[in-house]
Amino acid sequence: MLKLLLLLPVLAQALDSSFASSSLLEGLTQLMLRPSTNQTTRCGQELLALHAAWQRHEAWALKAFDASGSGYANILMGDAHFLGSRVTCQAVNQLVLKYYTSKQQHLLDNLAPFGFDYRVVYVNATTRFKLRFLHTPTTLMHIGLCVPQSCERDELEQLLRQTLAVQPLEHQYMELQPQLVYTKKPQFVGRFLESRAFRLLITLLLLVLLLTLLSNVLPKGWSRVLDCFHVPSNWQRLSDSSKEIAVINGLRVVAAISLLIIHVTWYSVTSVNQTSGMLKSIANIWLHHPYMPSMLEVFFTISGFLTVSNFLSNRAQLQRLAEQPLSSNLVAYLKSLLQRYLRLVPMQIVLMLLVTVAISYYREVSLLHIHEPLDDYCAQSWWKNALLIQDLFNTDYLCANWTWSLACEMQFHVLAMLLLHLYVHRPKLVRRLVVGILVANLVYSLAFIISLGVQLRFENAYKELTEGFYFNPLVRLQTYAVGGIYAHAHVNGMRDGKTPLDLVLPGRLVKSLASAAVLWVIWQLQLEANDLNTHLIAIAIVIVRLAYSLITLHLILANFSTERCSFVIRWGTQLLQANCFQFLGKLTFTFYLIHPLLVMCFNYGFSYLLPSDFSLWSILSIAYTVICFAVSTVLTLFLEMPFNRLTHLLMSSLATQASNNKIK
């Protein structure tokens, strides 16, 4: 008898759990049946009415339950979205299909006697069995609820906490400990319209619109400032690629599309979708297809090549600088930095405003939780982006953290222009410095990766490489320096057509042996036994990055002369010189800035998670490419090109003023 009395609390708890439901709405209505629950409020009375109607199998109540999320399928492997149906919740109060059919009126015409709203409940359900994504260690469960409109947020959250405290049996089996975080009614409220970022963005757009209208109404030449916003002339500049290196435009397009394919999956995972299928896809791309993330090296290589070649090709400037003492070149050096800074920063500011406004908007209307509050990050760290030093800080809490490469490029430009101005007076010293920097960088990269202990497991590789390696400007200097070395050889003329690679690896035999060694390293990494071989992984990372840089540079050199080029290089050069690449190549700067934001916005705008299907994501990647290039065309035509022309106008005015002062 005593044992039975001791077991009564346990039996009561088990009985209580057995009646608990995996449907949160069902548990909420059952809570109202308890005498201890406050049933006097309007919300409580309407929840009781909903429960009674559900017991009587009335259609409107069944629709409310059917619209609410229930069950926890695949929760252990990362799925956290049980959103139900927003449209079905609307059908509780509205004739949503009245223009579709006149049949089944017992279902469609049976409407609730009081109003219902669709809410989303965000729950932190911790368990030792649940898969966690390292980028967002706390993945919130999203549960859709179709509840009476009278249930205010505070009252509803109080009732939900009591409901979650009663655990069904499946919670006990999986050791789930659900805790309510917050609830939201996804709808446009417009609070972000009062933000400073929105006012600044609207002011900027209205100012650009006014200047654009004036430039197209007033005669051309009336004002040099207004001419910068003249749409027909900007379109002509955008379409004219006669002064461009054709292959470079093609390389930019290929690299930009490759990065978009990576970011479609990456920013889907980091924003909304941490299911096991998506994690498998992103690990497969980064670990087994490393050539795609390495496409970023193409941009650094091109930047280093153009910076050095443009400087050394300007013979008049070189002669003028050579005639002046080294100390007098400081003004020219600062002007070159100012010009580069003004080239990068205006669109960076526009992007920060767009990110802040867009994320603030989706905070209100999206059914999905915003894991990365970029609008808050922009408000706190905008000055890092404005100064182009964001790569020197933790990129997890940066505004538009994908712009770290622009900061690297600006810092490389500072170093490159310093060495180039020194080169005018001390060419041998600078050549030795550059070679020393490249060799030291290669050794540093190898030693750094080995010290990190990187393994071919995405979680380990992401944690170790991104925090200390991927965003490290010292590591990225390698391909920039290689681009500069090739540019120096190209401008000064290569002896007997030999490239810098020919000087390092003379003869076909040496090149063949080097190629065989590279292929051997790549083959060894495909073997599962070498997944944990840190030394082999470090060598492979450095080789792949260096190989991309060299391929890029040989394609660029083939643009000027195809002699002694292999068939593959000639074919690739002709392909990259296509007219479509020439137009799209001028959009790649804006494309690179805007495409991660567009990917995130589309994900936040969906009402459900997309499955990790290869065919679907391939189609999505194509669609994203078309949309991003279309948006980039508008932004380039109306913002980037006018800003660039204003920069050139400012720099030419400063040069004219300086020359006039010398004459006086």
Side-chain angles (χ1 to χ4, degrees), residues 441-451 469 534-535 538-540 542:
N441 189 271
L442 291 172
V443 175
Y444 168 79
S445 299
L446 280 171
F448 192 73
I449 300 173
I450 293 173
S451 67
F469 183 84
T534 303
H535 293 77
I539 294 172
V542 173

Side-chain angles (χ1 to χ4, degrees), residues 321-527:
L321 293 174
E323 294 173 353
Q324 299 175 354
L326 186 59
S327 58
S328 302
N329 294 344
L330 179 62
V331 175
Y333 172 68
L334 294 177
K335 284 183 179 179
S336 65
L337 299 187
L338 176 62
Q339 184 173 4
R340 189 61 178 171
Y341 178 81
L342 294 177
R343 169 70 179 93
L344 300 176
V345 163
M347 290 305 297
Q348 177 96 278
I349 294 174
V350 172
L351 177 66
M352 286 192 290
L353 295 176
L354 289 174
V355 167
T356 304
V357 173
I359 299 302
S360 299
Y361 167 75
Y362 281 106
R363 272 180 184 268
E364 297 181 359
V365 303
S366 177
L367 277 62
L368 308 176
H369 174 69
I370 308 296
H371 288 287
E372 290 187 320
L374 296 181
D375 51 343
D376 291 339
Y377 296 165
C378 288
Q380 298 167 4
S381 61
W382 61 269
W383 57 274
K384 300 174 186 176
N385 293 56
L387 294 176
L388 294 176
I389 56 173
Q390 63 264 41
D391 61 323
L392 305 178
F393 298 85
N394 189 343
T395 54
D396 290 338
Y397 304 99
L398 289 180
C399 171
N401 55 12
W402 58 90
T403 62
W404 63 271
S405 59
L406 300 184
C408 286
E409 188 174 328
M410 183 65 203
Q411 292 152 20
F412 296 162
H413 189 78
V414 172
L415 176 61
M417 296 308 296
L418 179 63
L419 292 174
L420 287 171
H421 279 80
L422 180 61
Y423 174 85
V424 176
H425 299 274
R426 302 286 189 274
K428 291 184 179 180
L429 174 62
V430 172
R431 283 197 292 267
R432 292 171 182 171
L433 281 175
V434 172
V435 173
I437 289 173
L438 178 58
V439 173
N441 189 271
L442 291 172
V443 175
Y444 168 79
S445 299
L446 280 171
F448 192 73
I449 300 173
I450 293 173
S451 67
L452 292 175
V454 179
Q455 304 171 2
L456 284 185
R457 298 291 183 271
F458 179 77
E459 188 173 30
N460 170 269
Y462 174 82
K463 181 180 179 181
E464 300 298 339
L465 288 181
T466 55
E467 291 181 359
F469 183 84
Y470 191 80
F471 302 111
N472 191 338
L474 294 178
V475 172
R476 296 295 178 178
L477 185 60
Q478 170 188 323
T479 51
Y480 191 93
V482 173
I485 290 172
Y486 265 73
H488 176 269
H490 168 67
V491 173
N492 291 309
M494 293 178 287
R495 297 178 182 178
D496 301 327
K498 292 184 177 180
T499 65
L501 180 63
D502 294 325
L503 300 177
V504 177
L505 302 175
R508 290 185 177 182
L509 178 60
V510 177
K511 290 186 178 66
S512 299
L513 292 175
S515 301
V518 171
L519 293 175
W520 181 83
V521 170
I522 296 175
W523 169 255
Q524 289 298 312
L525 282 180
Q526 304 304 314
L527 303 178

Side-chain angles (χ1 to χ4, degrees), residues 187-202:
Q187 64 177 1
F188 177 77
V189 179
R191 283 191 291 267
F192 73 94
L193 299 177
E194 302 175 359
S195 65
R196 181 182 301 176
F198 180 79
R199 293 197 297 267
L200 288 174
L201 180 61
I202 292 298

Side-chain angles (χ1 to χ4, degrees), residues 252-267:
R252 284 171 172 164
V253 174
V254 173
I257 294 176
S258 300
L259 292 176
L260 177 136
I261 294 173
I262 296 172
H263 289 161
V264 164
T265 53
W266 175 250
Y267 285 104

